Amino acid sequence: MGSRILITGGAGFIGSHTCLVLLDAGHELVVLDNFDNSNPEALKRVEELAGRGALSVVEGDVRQSDVLDQAFRCKGPIDGVIHFAGLKAVGESVADPLRYWDVNLNGSRVLAAAMEQHGCRTLVFSSTSTVYGEPDQFPLTEELTTAPVHPYAQTKLAVEQMLQALCRSGAWRVACLRYFNPVGAHPSGRIGEDPLGIPNNLFPFMTQVAAGRRERLQIFGNDYPTHDGTGIRDYIHVMDLAEAHTVTLDHLLKQPAPSILTLNIGTGTGLSVLDVVNGFEAATGLTIPYDLVERRPGDVPRLQACPERAKTVLGWTARRSLEEMCRDGWAWQQANPMGYRKPA
Ligand code: NAD
Ligand code: UFG
């Protein structure tokens, strides 16, 4: 028997792929999203790919308790919540910190209060590898000191702390998943990452250059203390990340409460920006014109997960290669040059 799961932010990049994996695993879903950074078309395609319509949508803001009441009541008792709804742009968080504290922290607080009220205390929370700040010990294990260096990461760490306190206060079961860098798309090319405007992140920028939508990639910094001078990250295929959520939820639902888990979700492999560009060129046969430019303010030289705890606790490991990340991300870009919007 499947469970009934509430997914906040389920129309977004990671949320849409996770909804598909959950539907395929037989769960019934309620998605709450205000479509601030997503398109309802993503959810239509998720249902189409799953071949069934077990997904109800509540359009609204996670900071509003009446919207949450509607989501908790729309199908019957909710067994667990996956909380994706939030903001994620580092630079924007520096420019507008109050918005980040409001949406990310206050949104999570209002959600947790609604969960208490509706007797649902099982939660998977989207945290980030940026909580580690600028570490100098690799790979990163979960017990390393956290030292976030921008408001985005500070809000995520604050939510982790709020959830730890909840687990100390009552019968909660919580998993904080610290994602490394999710990229790629579902292999069908029907759902993928659809950033509004100029992409902040490497992968969507690179695929838009490949498609001719942007002229050249700018590589931010080639003087980092890494093998080729460009920044290192742990890129993970979004389908591996999506699968980590189903496994985490199944695990939590079997745990006695209270239970708190903090897990890195990455591959354990660090790749530089040039490694990614070379990998993309090899996977697609295309050429990415690029310029080496100044470092981007706020970037750290390296983030790379130790994924051992997730393997031990959940039996989960990332399975997909850089080649698959590139091939699937490119297939999505080619089939959807303007994302979910229709080309003019
Ligand atoms: P996304 O922007 O594609 O998805 C977030 C979704 O939440 C969107 O559908 C958006 O419309 C919705 N949303 C935003 N504010 C809302 C609000 N107030 N009420 C209701 N819905 C709201 O982002 P994503 O890449 O899918 O990330 C999902 C989560 O994972 C976010 O919390 C993000 O901070 C976190 N995260 C992302 C990354 C990454 O690199 N993509 C890395 C680490 C953590
Ligand atoms: N980069 C470029 N050119 C670009 C974009 C990025 O060279 O046009 C470089 C960056 O300098 C960095 C690497 O590519 O070295 C990755 O940058 P991204 O912007 O793709 O990703 P970040 O690691 O900066 O941050 C992302 C998300 C955060 C999330 C974090 C988790 O934006 O929300 O991954 O590790 F928290």
Side-chain angles (χ1 to χ4, degrees), residues 87-90 127-130 150 152 179-183 199-206 217-221 224 230-235 273 295-296 299-301 303:
L87 305 176
K88 60 171 181 176
V90 170
S127 189
T128 164
S129 58
T130 56
H150 43 68
Y152 165 64
Y179 311 155
F180 283 68
N181 288 53
V183 298
N200 282 314
N201 298 120
L202 175 62
F203 249 79
F205 202 104
M206 184 176 64
L217 173 70
Q218 297 193 314
I219 296 185
F220 300 133
Y224 286 112
T230 65
I232 288 183
R233 297 290 183 274
D234 184 332
Y235 297 92
V273 180
R295 291 181 180 194
R296 180 172 65 176
D299 275 351
V300 300
L303 289 172

Side-chain angles (χ1 to χ4, degrees), residues 123 125 142 160 164 167 173-178 248 251-252 255 259-263 309-310 313-314:
L123 173 66
F125 171 63
E142 290 84 352
E160 285 194 10
Q164 282 157 10
C167 289
R173 296 180 291 197
V174 173
C176 296
L177 302 185
R178 294 179 175 167
T248 303
H251 172 83
L252 277 186
Q255 291 303 299
S259 165
I260 179 101
L261 258 182
T262 304
L263 296 175
R309 187 186 281 178
V313 177
L314 304 175

Side-chain angles (χ1 to χ4, degrees), residues 8-16 32-39 60-63 83-89 103-104 107 125-130 152 156 177-182 193-194 201 241:
T8 75
F13 172 42
I14 307 168
S16 55
L32 184 164
D33 204 301
N34 65 359
F35 302 110
D36 183 51
N37 196 37
S38 55
N39 192 311
D61 197 304
V62 74
R63 291 167 292 178
H83 179 35
F84 293 110
L87 305 176
K88 60 171 181 176
V103 175
N104 289 358
F125 171 63
S126 300
S127 189
T128 164
S129 58
T130 56
Y152 165 64
K156 291 287 184 178
L177 302 185
R178 294 179 175 167
Y179 311 155
F180 283 68
N181 288 53
E193 186 169 15
D194 182 21
N201 298 120
L241 177 57

Side-chain angles (χ1 to χ4, degrees), residues 46-320:
V46 165
E47 285 193 318
E48 184 189 292
L49 286 168
R52 66 192 190 103
L55 186 157
S56 304
V57 182
V58 174
E59 181 170 352
D61 197 304
V62 74
R63 291 167 292 178
Q64 291 181 329
S65 41
D66 57 330
V67 170
L68 283 162
D69 280 344
Q70 205 188 322
F72 276 100
R73 293 210 171 102
C74 99
K75 272 193 165 172
I78 297 282
D79 299 305
V81 177
I82 305 183
H83 179 35
F84 293 110
L87 305 176
K88 60 171 181 176
V90 170
E92 187 184 65
S93 81
V94 175
D96 193 357
L98 291 183
R99 182 156 174 254
Y100 274 69
W101 283 100
D102 188 23
V103 175
N104 289 358
L105 179 65
N106 190 36
S108 303
R109 183 193 64 78
V110 176
L111 170 66
M115 289 178 67
E116 287 241 309
Q117 206 191 328
H118 290 275
C120 171
R121 296 186 183 81
T122 302
L123 173 66
V124 180
F125 171 63
S126 300
S127 189
T128 164
S129 58
T130 56
V131 297
Y132 295 110
E134 192 168 342
D136 53 13
Q137 254 178 288
F138 298 96
L140 297 164
T141 52
E142 290 84 352
E143 59 276 0
L144 279 179
T145 312
T146 47
V149 294
H150 43 68
Y152 165 64
Q154 286 157 356
T155 62
K156 291 287 184 178
L157 184 61
V159 176
E160 285 194 10
Q161 289 163 344
M162 179 181 80
L163 297 175
Q164 282 157 10
L166 269 182
C167 289
R168 286 192 290 269
S169 76
W172 281 75
R173 296 180 291 197
V174 173
C176 296
L177 302 185
R178 294 179 175 167
Y179 311 155
F180 283 68
N181 288 53
V183 298
H186 187 265
S188 64
R190 293 292 290 158
I191 56 171
E193 186 169 15
D194 182 21
L196 296 174
I198 302 173
N200 282 314
N201 298 120
L202 175 62
F203 249 79
F205 202 104
M206 184 176 64
T207 57
Q208 291 190 9
V209 171
R213 195 170 151 191
R214 317 223 167 253
E215 262 181 35
R216 299 174 77 78
L217 173 70
Q218 297 193 314
I219 296 185
F220 300 133
N222 66 339
D223 57 351
Y224 286 112
T226 63
H227 61 273
D228 59 20
T230 65
I232 288 183
R233 297 290 183 274
D234 184 332
Y235 297 92
I236 174 170
H237 196 296
V238 66
M239 290 303 294
D240 277 327
L241 177 57
E243 287 165 7
H245 288 81
T246 20
V247 179
T248 303
L249 198 68
D250 290 348
H251 172 83
L252 277 186
L253 288 169
K254 288 188 213 124
Q255 291 303 299
S259 165
I260 179 101
L261 258 182
T262 304
L263 296 175
N264 287 336
I265 304 292
T267 63
T269 302
L271 295 173
S272 73
V273 180
L274 283 171
D275 290 336
V276 170
V277 171
N278 294 335
F280 185 84
E281 291 184 339
T284 62
L286 298 162
T287 302
I288 301 292
Y290 64 81
D291 299 311
L292 296 167
V293 301
E294 290 294 290
R295 291 181 180 194
R296 180 172 65 176
D299 275 351
V300 300
R302 180 172 171 192
L303 289 172
Q304 185 180 340
C306 170
E308 284 307 310
R309 187 186 281 178
K311 187 175 176 187
T312 309
V313 177
L314 304 175
W316 171 91
T317 41
R319 296 182 288 128
R320 295 167 178 86

